[in-house]
Each structure stands twice: as C-alpha cells, then as structure tokens.
Amino acid sequence: MARGKTLSAGRSSSPGPLPWLGLALIVLIADQFTKTLILGYYRLGDAHYVTSFFNIVRAHNTGAAFSFLADSSGWQRWMFTAIGLVATGFIIWLLRSHAGQKLFSFALALIMGGAIGNVVDRLMHGYVVDFLDFHLRGRHFPAFNVADSAITLGAICLVLDELMRVRRGK
C-alpha cells in the first residue's frame, strides 16, 4: 500500500506537513533551551549528581554519536553539518508526501528537530553540547542531549512503523 492517502476530490486527507514541522520546532526549542541552560550554569566537565545512575554534565562533542570522529582535525564539523542539512531537506520532502501517516511523520519530525538542534550547535559552537549522563557500576553511557534523544526515539518509531507496515502487508 502506498504511503499517504488522497480524497477522491484530489485533496489530501491529511492536514499536510505543518503539524509535523511544528513538532520538529518544539523539539528544536526544547533542545536549544536545555543546552542554553547547561552552557549558562555549567563549565566544561562540571557534573551534578542526580541519582545513583544519572548525572547532569557539561560535555562537548565535536564528532557524531558516541564521539565518532571527535578526534579528527575539524573537517567533521562541516561534514556532519552538511549531513544534517541534507537530512532536513529530505525529511521535509518526505513529510510533504506522507504527512497523513502519523507514526512515520512523527518519527521524521523527531529526527528533523534533533538534527537541526545539533546542526545549530555545530554552527554556533563547533561542537554539540551534551549533558545527560547515565551510568551503572562505574560505566558511563556517552553523554547525550534532547536532540540525540529525539533522533533515537524517531529511529525507533521508524523501525516500528516499518514492522507494522510489513505485518499489514501479509
């Protein structure tokens, strides 16, 4: 079954991409607001104990997920910025043609809001601000932020959407 539906009069049965772009904007605002708080109240490396498994820290990531390419000479900043911008354009195109698919569009909006949030960081600072630090028995998961959380949740929703689509096709 093709993604998206249209009414017989030729009008789209969905409100279009605007609600999904609004969700992406909410993700972007939440991401940038929390990062502004961290930049304003924490110095690089500062940590605040919250629970036995969670701290708030201030970390800078010049790479990608799990600090991939963080030790490179600086070119990665522009490569990851370009990837984020291209992904945003592609997602907008997908949202225009599939806005009626709620889970699919929800996932894309989360990914887009997160991608733009991290692109803003790269352009403004040259690094992404991370601050959520989960740990267990002395082992720390790499610090991350609201944008990373939205991207991860969006990716999970994309997988779920595809699994549901395949199941409906049987």
Side-chain angles (χ1 to χ4, degrees), residues 3-163:
R3 293 195 182 270
K5 299 176 185 174
T6 57
L7 298 173
S8 59
R11 291 185 356 216
S12 174
S13 63
S14 75
L18 202 53
W20 306 117
L21 296 175
L23 175 58
L25 181 61
I26 290 168
V27 169
L28 172 62
I29 291 169
D31 176 65
Q32 290 299 302
F33 177 73
T34 55
K35 290 173 178 174
T36 298
L37 289 175
I38 295 301
L39 290 171
Y41 290 101
Y42 290 80
R43 290 185 308 260
L44 181 62
D46 282 353
H48 176 79
Y49 172 88
V50 178
T51 70
S52 62
F53 61 89
F54 173 66
N55 298 326
I56 295 176
V57 301
R58 177 171 167 183
H60 298 169
N61 183 359
T62 57
F66 305 105
S67 296
F68 175 67
L69 295 177
D71 293 333
S72 296
S73 62
W75 59 267
Q76 73 277 19
R77 171 187 186 185
W78 305 110
M79 181 185 75
F80 293 132
T81 298
I83 289 170
L85 293 173
V86 169
T88 297
F90 182 62
I91 289 170
I92 290 171
W93 177 77
L94 286 172
L95 286 174
R96 290 184 64 184
S97 54
H98 303 295
Q101 286 190 274
K102 291 181 180 173
L103 183 57
F104 182 71
S105 296
F106 176 79
L108 292 177
L110 291 178
I111 293 168
M112 182 171 74
I116 295 170
N118 284 340
V119 163
V120 167
D121 277 14
R122 290 182 197 290
L123 291 174
M124 286 179 55
H125 311 296
Y127 54 82
V128 173
V129 177
D130 290 327
F131 58 91
L132 301 171
D133 175 37
F134 286 89
H135 52 89
L136 184 63
R137 297 183 184 156
R139 295 188 177 192
H140 288 256
F141 188 80
F144 58 99
N145 56 46
V146 172
D148 299 335
S149 300
I151 291 167
T152 301
L153 180 58
I156 290 167
C157 289
L158 279 181
V159 170
L160 181 60
D161 179 68
E162 183 62 15
L163 291 172

